[in-house]
């Protein structure tokens, strides 16, 4: 589950580093022809840096993303739903493994990525800093947050970096179960008792703003997008993905007789959705650590890290030579 | 020192301190990588599907089953240490691979060998 590579793009000192113009031209022509880049191919420094940042954030989002949903594992309504939720949470952690591998092929060791997650140096999708207050919140996450993630991931699976594409193809296949599972949970509540409907509506109201934030700031606020699109690192603009999400899911929300907490929301004559811009200052504030659950998410991650240390050390072979995975 | 109180009872029970120290992972604390090959059904090929981090082959196999056998049918899995695989260095040997399917080696292709024209001409000459 992941929104977009919108977080913490601070160009390094070498952003103005001059690439060999001939190699750069060959590289760009290759991408233009629709060919993929493999780990050992030549690539510009900036391409590598942006991909590491993006894939790493995606991987972190998968492991942290398992936490809000995991909240309801012990109290899932019924054994079948409990098994399904456990399976979904396990999938998310599996997705993190696939993505860390893809990022490692670009030269950043997994140890460093996990250290950067705990220290706060690298970020994860903002939406997971919000709490899942009720079972209905877990339904909204599995339905709509996974829906948003699929839109982003399907777009990125057509990108230029082969290991990331391969990981995403597999991830998208697995996510389709999550989406259907979440939709069924939401429909069950929506077609249930008055109390259940109310619970679902309240959860939807809570998740709407984080969901609008999910795809990242409006295109007019985003930087560097042009080059990343040319290199097929970024495959769709934030606003385009947001529009696609609204087109696909607002009708499904309305069909259930639920409302979206935005009075301005409507599709205009040109077929574009109009909506109230969510508070982007809140978005920045939460990314920078001041959200309702940031502290808890990192503390839980650190607990697993610290309390698992003795197992790692017992198994460690000091002689082991660490290399990047093949692909 | 206060502890995290969570909506998730498992987290509250874990008594996690709110402010924490963290010891960064050292250089190879997450072990080596093993590459994973997966066969989905008998008769099929083993296909490379990705890699896992593990301290030894047995654990690599265990993680590979969990990671790559969890959601699809599986009849067999192989794991091999990444450093034991000898590979092409694409940048060094481009020509070798570029010429293999090219026109000057068409004598290796089945469709480079044509007979119909000859047979037709022969039959015509023989008046059969």
């Amino acid at each position: 589950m992941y929104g977009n590579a919108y977080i913490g793009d601070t160009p390094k000192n070498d952003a103005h580093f001059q690439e060999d113009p001939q190699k750069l031209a060959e590289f760009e022509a290759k991408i233009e022809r629709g060919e993929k880049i493999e780990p050992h191919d030549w690539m510009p420094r900036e391409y590598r840096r942006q991909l590491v940042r993006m894939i790493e954030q995606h991987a972190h989002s998968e492991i942290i993303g398992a936490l809000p949903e995991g909240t309801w594992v012990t109290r899932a309504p019924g054994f079948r739903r409990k098994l399904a939720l456990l399976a979904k949470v396990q999938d998310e952690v599996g997705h993190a493994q696939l993505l860390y591998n893809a990022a490692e092929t670009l030269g950043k060791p997994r140890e460093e990525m996990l250290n950067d997650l705990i220290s706060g140096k690298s970020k994860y999708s903002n939406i997971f800093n919000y709490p899942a207050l009720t079972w209905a919140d877990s339904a909204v996450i599995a339905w709509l947050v996974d829906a948003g993630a699929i839109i982003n991931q399907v777009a990125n699976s057509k990108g230029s970096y082969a290991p990331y594409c391969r990981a995403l193809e597999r991830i998208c296949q697995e996510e389709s179960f999550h989406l259907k599972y979440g939709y069924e949970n939401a429909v069950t509540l929506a077609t249930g008792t008055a109390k259940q409907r109310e619970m679902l509506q309240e959860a939807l109201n809570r998740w709407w703003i984080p969901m609008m934030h999910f795809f990242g700031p409006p295109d007019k606020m985003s930087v560097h997008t042009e080059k990343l699109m040319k290199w097929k690192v970024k495959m769709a603009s934030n606003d385009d993905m947001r529009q696609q999400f609204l087109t696909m899911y607002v009708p499904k929300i309305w069909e259930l007789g639920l409302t979206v907490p935005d009075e301005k929301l409507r599709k205009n004559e040109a077929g574009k959705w109009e909506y109230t811009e969510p508070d982007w200052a809140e978005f920045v504030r939460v990314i920078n650590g001041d959200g309702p659950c940031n502290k808890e998410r990192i503390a839980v991650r650190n607990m697993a890290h610290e309390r698992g240390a003795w197992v790692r050390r017992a198994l460690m072979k000091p002689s082991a030579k660490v290399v990047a995975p093949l692909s | 020192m206060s502890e995290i109180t969570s909506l998730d009872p498992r987290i509250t029970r874990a008594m996690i301190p709110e402010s924490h120290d963290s010891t960064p992972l050292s250089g190879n604390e997450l072990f080596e990588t093993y590459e994973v090959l997966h066969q989905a059904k008998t008769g099929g090929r083993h296909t490379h599907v990705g890699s896992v981090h593990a301290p030894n082959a047995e654990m690599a196999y265990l993680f590979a089953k969990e990671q790559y056998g969890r959601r699809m049918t599986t009849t067999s899995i192989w794991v091999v240490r990444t450093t034991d695989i000898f590979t092409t260095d694409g940048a060094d040997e481009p020509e070798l691979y570029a010429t293999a399917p090219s026109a000057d080696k068409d004598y290796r292709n089945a469709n480079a060998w044509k007979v119909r024209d000859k047979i037709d001409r022969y039959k015509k000459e023989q008046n059969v």
Side-chain angles (χ1 to χ4, degrees), chain A residues 15-79:
Chain A
H16 299 291
F17 170 82
Q18 282 300 314
E19 296 290 355
D20 177 336
Q22 196 191 333
K23 281 185 171 161
L24 183 63
E26 282 166 15
F27 169 84
E28 291 185 341
K30 202 168 162 184
I31 289 176
E32 179 72 29
R33 288 195 300 272
E35 287 172 40
K36 303 273 182 186
I37 306 299
E38 293 285 354
H40 295 289
D41 293 342
W42 186 90
M43 61 186 88
R45 278 198 205 188
E46 183 63 6
Y47 177 84
R48 185 184 297 272
R49 189 180 75 83
Q50 293 283 2
L51 273 168
V52 169
R53 179 179 71 91
M54 180 165 152
I55 302 172
E56 181 183 355
Q57 281 180 11
H58 190 166
H60 293 333
S61 302
E62 301 284 350
I63 36 173
I64 299 294
L67 298 174
E69 286 184 288
T71 307
W72 288 92
V73 165
T74 57
R75 295 157 294 173
F79 191 56

Side-chain angles (χ1 to χ4, degrees), chain A residues 75-136:
Chain A
R75 295 157 294 173
F79 191 56
R80 185 175 150 82
R81 286 180 204 281
K82 187 183 183 119
L83 285 175
L85 180 54
L86 277 169
K88 179 180 189 307
V89 165
Q90 189 190 23
D91 280 351
E92 306 298 2
V93 178
H95 296 171
Q97 305 285 333
L98 295 172
L99 291 159
Y100 284 127
N101 266 327
E104 283 171 273
T105 64
L106 290 157
K108 184 165 180 178
R110 184 175 297 210
E111 286 85 354
E112 218 177 287
M113 291 190 265
L114 287 167
N115 288 340
D116 288 351
L117 170 62
I118 289 173
S119 75
K121 191 179 162 200
S122 60
K123 306 293 182 192
Y124 52 89
S125 190
N126 205 33
I127 202 159
F128 304 122
N129 288 318
Y130 292 86
L133 292 183
T134 69
W135 171 254

Side-chain angles (χ1 to χ4, degrees), chain A residues 31-303:
Chain A
I31 289 176
E32 179 72 29
R33 288 195 300 272
E35 287 172 40
K36 303 273 182 186
I37 306 299
E38 293 285 354
H40 295 289
D41 293 342
W42 186 90
M43 61 186 88
R45 278 198 205 188
E46 183 63 6
Y47 177 84
R48 185 184 297 272
R49 189 180 75 83
Q50 293 283 2
L51 273 168
V52 169
R53 179 179 71 91
M54 180 165 152
I55 302 172
E56 181 183 355
Q57 281 180 11
H58 190 166
H60 293 333
S61 302
E62 301 284 350
I63 36 173
I64 299 294
L67 298 174
E69 286 184 288
T71 307
W72 288 92
V73 165
T74 57
R75 295 157 294 173
F79 191 56
R80 185 175 150 82
R81 286 180 204 281
K82 187 183 183 119
L83 285 175
L85 180 54
L86 277 169
K88 179 180 189 307
V89 165
Q90 189 190 23
D91 280 351
E92 306 298 2
V93 178
H95 296 171
Q97 305 285 333
L98 295 172
L99 291 159
Y100 284 127
N101 266 327
E104 283 171 273
T105 64
L106 290 157
K108 184 165 180 178
R110 184 175 297 210
E111 286 85 354
E112 218 177 287
M113 291 190 265
L114 287 167
N115 288 340
D116 288 351
L117 170 62
I118 289 173
S119 75
K121 191 179 162 200
S122 60
K123 306 293 182 192
Y124 52 89
S125 190
N126 205 33
I127 202 159
F128 304 122
N129 288 318
Y130 292 86
L133 292 183
T134 69
W135 171 254
D137 293 66
S138 87
V140 171
I141 296 170
W143 179 26
L144 296 179
V145 180
D146 278 68
I150 291 173
I151 289 173
N152 175 62
Q153 289 167 171
V154 167
N156 282 345
S157 73
K158 316 245 175 354
S160 62
Y161 190 57
Y164 190 36
C165 299
R166 287 191 283 264
L168 286 174
E169 273 169 29
R170 192 182 192 93
I171 288 171
C172 288
Q173 281 168 5
E174 297 188 357
E175 298 266 16
S176 57
F177 137 62
H178 303 173
L179 174 66
K180 283 297 287 289
Y181 153 84
Y183 189 36
E184 198 272 348
N185 272 322
V187 170
T188 301
L189 294 172
T191 57
T193 63
K195 182 92 187 157
Q196 285 175 313
R197 284 185 63 83
E198 189 190 327
M199 206 168 116
L200 180 64
Q201 181 65 62
E202 282 170 3
L204 181 62
N205 294 349
R206 278 193 285 277
W207 287 89
W208 190 253
I209 298 291
M211 202 58 231
M212 294 295 280
H213 284 150
F214 186 72
F215 297 100
D219 295 349
K220 58 179 192 293
M221 284 168 63
S222 302
V223 282
H224 297 317
T225 297
E226 205 175 309
K227 188 157 70 177
L228 294 181
M229 299 262 264
K230 184 176 172 190
W231 285 348
K232 296 187 185 169
V233 169
K234 196 173 164 63
M235 295 300 287
S237 83
N238 298 353
D239 284 338
D240 286 350
M241 286 191 287
R242 200 164 9 246
Q243 286 287 333
Q244 197 186 337
F245 174 79
L246 295 171
T247 300
M248 290 171 76
Y249 293 96
V250 170
K252 288 189 161 69
I253 292 168
W254 284 344
E255 187 189 9
L256 294 172
L258 299 164
T259 56
V260 172
D262 179 358
E263 283 176 7
K264 267 205 200 158
L265 183 75
R266 68 174 196 104
K267 203 173 198 174
N268 67 21
E269 292 75 29
K272 285 264 177 207
W273 289 90
E274 291 171 6
Y275 49 81
T276 314
E277 277 299 334
D279 180 357
W280 291 105
E282 176 189 332
F283 172 79
V284 174
R285 201 170 57 241
V286 175
I287 282 180
N288 290 329
D290 195 17
C293 300
N294 300 52
K295 226 174 159 183
E296 175 180 332
R297 301 288 183 244
I298 295 300
V300 171
R301 180 63 235 152
N302 190 53
M303 173 204 63

Side-chain angles (χ1 to χ4, degrees), chain A residues 70 75 90-91 94 97 101 104 110-111 115 170 174 296 302 305-307 312 317 320 322 325-327, chain B residues 6-7 9-10 14 20-23 25-30 35 48 51 53 55 66-67 70-72:
Chain A
R75 295 157 294 173
Q90 189 190 23
D91 280 351
Q97 305 285 333
N101 266 327
E104 283 171 273
R110 184 175 297 210
E111 286 85 354
N115 288 340
R170 192 182 192 93
E174 297 188 357
E296 175 180 332
N302 190 53
H305 166 80
E306 287 293 324
R307 296 185 189 174
R312 290 193 300 273
K317 265 189 303 189
V322 174
L326 278 187
S327 71
Chain B
S6 172
L7 286 164
R10 299 170 306 167
H20 52 78
D21 291 328
S22 188
T23 318
L25 292 162
S26 61
N28 61 357
E29 199 167 335
L30 297 178
E35 302 298 325
H48 179 256
S51 53
H53 284 245
E66 202 59 48
Q67 177 73 341
R70 185 175 80 248
R71 291 286 302 273
M72 53 172 160

